[in-house]
Amino acid sequence: MNSGEDKYKIMLSGYIDGELSSDEKAELEMHLKTCSDCRKELEVFQELKEVTGAMKYADIPEHVWDNYWRGIYRRLELGIGWILFSIGAIIILACMCYGIFQNFFLNPDEPLILKIGVGTIILGAIFLLVSVTRERIFAYRRDRYKEIKR
Ligand SMILES: [Zn+2]
């Protein structure tokens, strides 16, 4: 990142609010063509502008900004966390079930279609189990949050 970056980041909010001189505007627009970082930031600003309506950024208290970003990061982390948790749980449970039913799956006398059927049921049950567990944990966290709020 070069030293000019910060300047452009500050200019972005002025750009959204239409407070830049035409020279500054031209300079920023030139920079936006080459910097995907600032383009992304501009998109976020524009979205926020829509959400907050006529409000200017300077009028938004610091803690609202903090909560806004913390909210985004938290949701991202939660989303990734749950995906990893789900994948891990499904893999482990699938391996355990395969171990339990190994004799059945490896028995050449059992018809393939039956193996596919049993395998599908087991997989379905595992997905349901993981999904229900996730809901339970969510519900538990929500209840605890309510208690703290009270
Ligand atoms: Zn930039």
Side-chain angles (χ1 to χ4, degrees):
M1 197 185 282
N2 60 56
S3 57
E5 257 325 279
D6 284 345
K7 184 183 79 178
Y8 291 120
K9 293 267 153 69
I10 294 164
M11 281 167 83
L12 279 172
S13 65
Y15 183 73
I16 293 279
D17 287 333
E19 286 168 350
L20 294 188
S21 71
S22 54
D23 279 356
E24 287 172 324
K25 226 172 117 178
E27 187 189 346
L28 182 65
E29 276 165 1
M30 275 289 278
H31 176 71
L32 283 171
K33 277 180 196 153
T34 59
C35 182
S36 61
D37 219 39
C38 286
R39 274 203 303 273
K40 249 178 251 159
E41 195 122 335
L42 180 64
E43 265 171 45
V44 173
F45 272 130
Q46 272 163 343
E47 265 170 41
L48 200 66
K49 175 90 173 177
E50 278 167 29
V51 172
T52 56
M55 232 182 180
K56 290 220 171 140
Y57 297 100
D59 299 334
I60 299 176
E62 195 71 21
H63 69 272
V64 174
W65 269 109
D66 281 357
N67 285 339
Y68 177 77
W69 287 113
R70 208 173 297 145
I72 286 180
Y73 284 123
R74 241 183 91 69
R75 244 172 308 171
L76 250 171
E77 281 168 359
L78 272 178
I80 293 168
W82 282 122
I83 289 169
L84 292 177
F85 171 85
S86 303
I87 292 173
I90 287 165
I91 290 173
I92 290 170
L93 289 171
C95 285
M96 278 165 57
C97 287
Y98 183 76
I100 293 167
F101 294 102
Q102 203 171 19
N103 289 336
F104 166 75
F105 283 116
L106 294 180
N107 185 351
D109 294 333
E110 299 288 355
L112 178 65
I113 188 75
L114 189 63
K115 287 179 188 171
I116 291 174
V118 172
T120 311
I121 288 174
I122 292 173
L123 262 184
I126 290 172
F127 271 87
L128 286 174
L129 186 72
V130 170
S131 165
V132 167
T133 306
R134 213 169 59 179
E135 293 293 313
R136 276 281 162 81
I137 296 173
F138 256 127
Y140 174 71
R141 286 167 51 110
R142 260 201 305 274
D143 290 348
R144 276 192 39 163
Y145 180 68
K146 270 186 224 146
E147 270 167 35
I148 290 164
K149 281 280 262 204
R150 243 181 254 140

